[in-house]
């Protein structure tokens, strides 16, 4: 008898198992929505799927009467711009500091404890400070993302550098490589795919900080729109926005994964499906 731990589903079974939780969630929502609407046809808490579909079409095609712009695309562009800036800056800082802390003992001794302490500070606790220091404009929202995810990326890359086989460093030194050459030619190629993984893992957190900042101080953005319409209990707007944010996050994660697979195939050797 084959042990459960050794049983692997085929392609069809994998797809079916992947879809199963979504189907169950949709059925639960459908039953709950039908029950509430049967008691009160004007119930706003759980709108029907047809109402959600009509609302999504309206949000994606009809311009706003006040601004003349299509709100969903306007909000999406604003949020993605802030997210890209915040995550991009965090990745750059994380790569530089992570490699430095992992590769150079003197820097690690001086700054690793400081980075560890920074990583334990709840970013939402310093959000008011960021608004006071950087104002209510775009900069404070980007800085919140940077403050929130950079320490995680730095510590993850530092650990990756320290996990590299010591033999690689010794061989490079034996061949006459200096510290700069070792970092560029030995350490950096090993760390970049791990950087992509770290960015992928931090995307959910980055979205959380972005939505929070937009909800407090913004005039456009996906988070701003959700918190704007919540006062009207407009779930036919909130739920499509939540689903849209989820789709954007998934597509971003999928894109980064494909970039990593194509640029660094050796890093993914041995993964299921390869």
């Amino acid at each position: 008898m084959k042990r459960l731990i050794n049983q692997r589903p085929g392609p069809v079974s994998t797809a079916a198992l992947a879809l199963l939780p979504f189907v169950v969630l949709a059925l639960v929502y459908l039953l709950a929505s039908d029950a509430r609407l049967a008691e009160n046809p004007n119930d706003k808490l759980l709108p029907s799927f047809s109402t959600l579909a009509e609302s999504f079409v309206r949000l994606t095609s009809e311009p706003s009467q006040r601004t003349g712009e299509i709100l969903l695309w306007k909000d999406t562009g604003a949020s993605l711009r802030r997210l890209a800036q915040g995550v991009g800056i965090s990745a750059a800082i994380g790569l530089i500091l992570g490699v430095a802390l992992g590769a150079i003992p003197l820097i690690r001794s001086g700054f690793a404890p400081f980075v560890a302490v920074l990583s334990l500070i709840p970013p939402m606790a310093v959000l008011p400070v960021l608004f006071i220091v950087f104002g209510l404009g775009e900069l404070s929202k980007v800085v919140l993302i940077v403050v929130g995810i950079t320490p995680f990326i730095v510590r993850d890359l530092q650990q990756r550098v320290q996990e590299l086989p010591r033999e690689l460093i010794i061989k490079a030194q034996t061949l006459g490589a200096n510290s700069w050459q070792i970092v560029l030619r030995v350490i950096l190629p090993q760390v970049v795919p791990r950087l992509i993984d770290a960015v992928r893992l931090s995307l959910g957190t980055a979205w959380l900080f972005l939505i929070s900042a937009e909800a407090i101080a913004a005039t456009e953005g996906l988070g701003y729109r959700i918190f704007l319409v919540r006062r009207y209990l407009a779930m036919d707007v909130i739920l499509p926005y939540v689903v849209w944010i989820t789709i954007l996050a998934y597509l971003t994660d999928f894109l980064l994964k494909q970039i990593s697979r194509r640029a660094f195939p050796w890093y993914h050797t041995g993964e299921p499906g390869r």
Side-chain angles (χ1 to χ4, degrees), residues 214-230:
E214 289 181 340
I216 296 174
T219 57
E220 60 181 5
L222 298 170
Y224 162 76
R225 195 68 54 190
I226 289 174
F227 279 80
L228 178 67
V229 301
R230 85 189 191 284

Side-chain angles (χ1 to χ4, degrees), residues 226-242:
I226 289 174
F227 279 80
L228 178 67
V229 301
R230 85 189 191 284
R231 67 188 68 174
Y232 310 113
L233 295 178
M235 296 297 288
D236 60 327
V237 175
I238 294 175
L239 291 179
Y241 263 71
V242 172

Side-chain angles (χ1 to χ4, degrees), residues 90-119 149-166 169 183 187-188 190-199 267:
S90 299
I93 296 175
L95 179 62
I96 295 172
L97 292 183
V99 170
L101 292 175
I104 304 176
L106 288 175
I107 297 179
R108 181 165 62 249
S109 299
F111 291 96
F114 178 70
V115 174
V117 171
L118 284 182
S119 68
I149 69 175
T150 297
F152 162 75
I153 297 177
V154 171
R155 298 186 72 185
D156 187 68
L157 294 186
Q158 174 190 341
Q159 181 179 350
R160 171 59 178 168
V161 173
Q162 293 180 263
E163 290 173 351
L164 292 177
R166 186 63 184 170
I169 309 299
V183 169
I187 296 177
L188 199 59
Q190 300 283 334
V191 168
V192 172
R194 181 64 170 263
L195 171 65
I196 297 177
D197 280 351
V199 170
Y267 182 75

